[in-house]
Amino acid sequence: MQDIAKLHKDLIEDQSLKMIIEEIEEKNGELSVKIRAEHLTTFLFQMRDGMQYLFKVLLDVCAVDYPGNDKRFVIVYHLLSIEHNLRIRVKVWVNEDDFVPTIKDIFSSSHWYEREVWDMYGILFIGNDDLRRILTDYGFSGYPMRKDFPLTGYVEVRYDAAKQGVVYESVKLAQEYRNFDCKSPWEGEDYILPGDEKASK
């Protein structure tokens, strides 16, 4: 069984990966590797099939939105090596207009994950011929996990038991917006809280 330090050393010394890996970060017992999108399939093939790696399980594909960065999105691939009892995180930074190669020929489970990332962030995966909505409605407009996605003004879909069918209506927030004064009643506020009148008697 390997450990993180040995995996880190193997990645640095692997001649086939020298031109692919942009950055390796070891933090809190976890290893993250940053690569460019055009090297994604080459790198993941090596991670899956290389005898010193054997990351044969794709645990997850997710994304994060950083609107202020030059490259707005980071796509994160979480891999597991059962043989070596190790995990690795692979990060790919892309812009809104960039295309990312699909990895469904390397990890068949990625098909659903890529659909989810496309549905939530609008990131296109070249080679995935089934990028349809998976968590939102088919007529949904926009990508709800982007930081600039508005919280109001859209419609929602729900089943109406009275009409016995699906209805579209404006989004309704369950609770009114509230203003909090963020003052603690234990710091001598000038208003009387319910029940305080009993203490003054």
Side-chain angles (χ1 to χ4, degrees), residues 140-144 146-154 171:
F140 191 85
S141 177
Y143 305 103
R146 289 188 176 189
K147 297 281 177 68
D148 55 5
F149 185 78
L151 299 178
T152 58
Y154 282 86
V171 174

Side-chain angles (χ1 to χ4, degrees), residues 60-120:
D60 186 30
V61 179
C62 59
V64 185
D65 183 10
Y66 297 99
N69 287 6
D70 291 338
K71 295 207 170 200
R72 176 173 182 172
F73 303 106
V74 57
I75 306 171
V76 186
Y77 299 83
H78 296 97
L79 305 176
L80 169 68
S81 172
I82 295 173
E83 288 82 356
H84 300 302
N85 191 24
L86 288 172
R87 294 171 190 255
I88 191 171
R89 185 180 298 117
V90 180
K91 296 180 179 181
V92 177
W93 289 85
V94 294
N95 276 320
E96 296 176 57
D97 302 329
D98 292 343
F99 299 108
V100 181
T102 184
I103 60 165
K104 66 186 180 75
D105 294 332
I106 306 170
F107 299 103
S108 58
S109 62
S110 71
H111 182 266
W112 290 90
Y113 296 132
E114 290 175 355
R115 277 184 68 183
E116 183 179 349
V117 170
W118 176 81
D119 189 11
M120 295 288 105

Side-chain angles (χ1 to χ4, degrees), residues 21-187:
I21 296 175
E22 289 188 335
E23 182 182 324
I24 302 175
E25 181 185 22
E26 186 180 336
K27 187 175 181 182
N28 299 326
E30 298 178 350
L31 200 62
S32 297
V33 178
K34 179 181 172 186
I35 60 171
R36 287 197 300 275
E38 59 265 24
H39 299 306
L40 179 64
T41 53
T42 304
F43 182 78
L44 292 181
F45 267 124
Q46 181 69 3
M47 290 299 97
R48 187 190 70 180
D49 298 337
M51 290 306 294
Q52 69 271 38
Y53 308 119
L54 297 175
F55 287 98
K56 295 194 176 287
V57 180
L58 175 69
L59 297 173
D60 186 30
V61 179
C62 59
V64 185
D65 183 10
Y66 297 99
N69 287 6
D70 291 338
K71 295 207 170 200
R72 176 173 182 172
F73 303 106
V74 57
I75 306 171
V76 186
Y77 299 83
H78 296 97
L79 305 176
L80 169 68
S81 172
I82 295 173
E83 288 82 356
H84 300 302
N85 191 24
L86 288 172
R87 294 171 190 255
I88 191 171
R89 185 180 298 117
V90 180
K91 296 180 179 181
V92 177
W93 289 85
V94 294
N95 276 320
E96 296 176 57
D97 302 329
D98 292 343
F99 299 108
V100 181
T102 184
I103 60 165
K104 66 186 180 75
D105 294 332
I106 306 170
F107 299 103
S108 58
S109 62
S110 71
H111 182 266
W112 290 90
Y113 296 132
E114 290 175 355
R115 277 184 68 183
E116 183 179 349
V117 170
W118 176 81
D119 189 11
M120 295 288 105
Y121 294 93
I123 299 168
L124 287 170
F125 293 88
I126 296 301
N128 190 329
D129 53 357
D130 193 22
L131 290 179
R132 293 177 291 140
R133 296 285 186 180
I134 192 170
L135 296 175
T136 58
D137 182 53
Y138 290 110
F140 191 85
S141 177
Y143 305 103
M145 291 299 287
R146 289 188 176 189
K147 297 281 177 68
D148 55 5
F149 185 78
L151 299 178
T152 58
Y154 282 86
V155 295
E156 64 183 349
V157 180
R158 67 174 181 83
Y159 179 78
D160 189 326
K163 294 181 181 178
Q164 294 188 348
V166 175
V167 294
Y168 290 80
E169 58 188 20
S170 296
V171 174
K172 295 177 185 170
L173 300 177
Q175 183 179 5
E176 293 290 333
Y177 287 111
R178 295 169 58 187
N179 293 323
F180 295 97
D181 60 10
C182 300
K183 296 178 182 175
S184 169
W186 291 277
E187 296 175 358

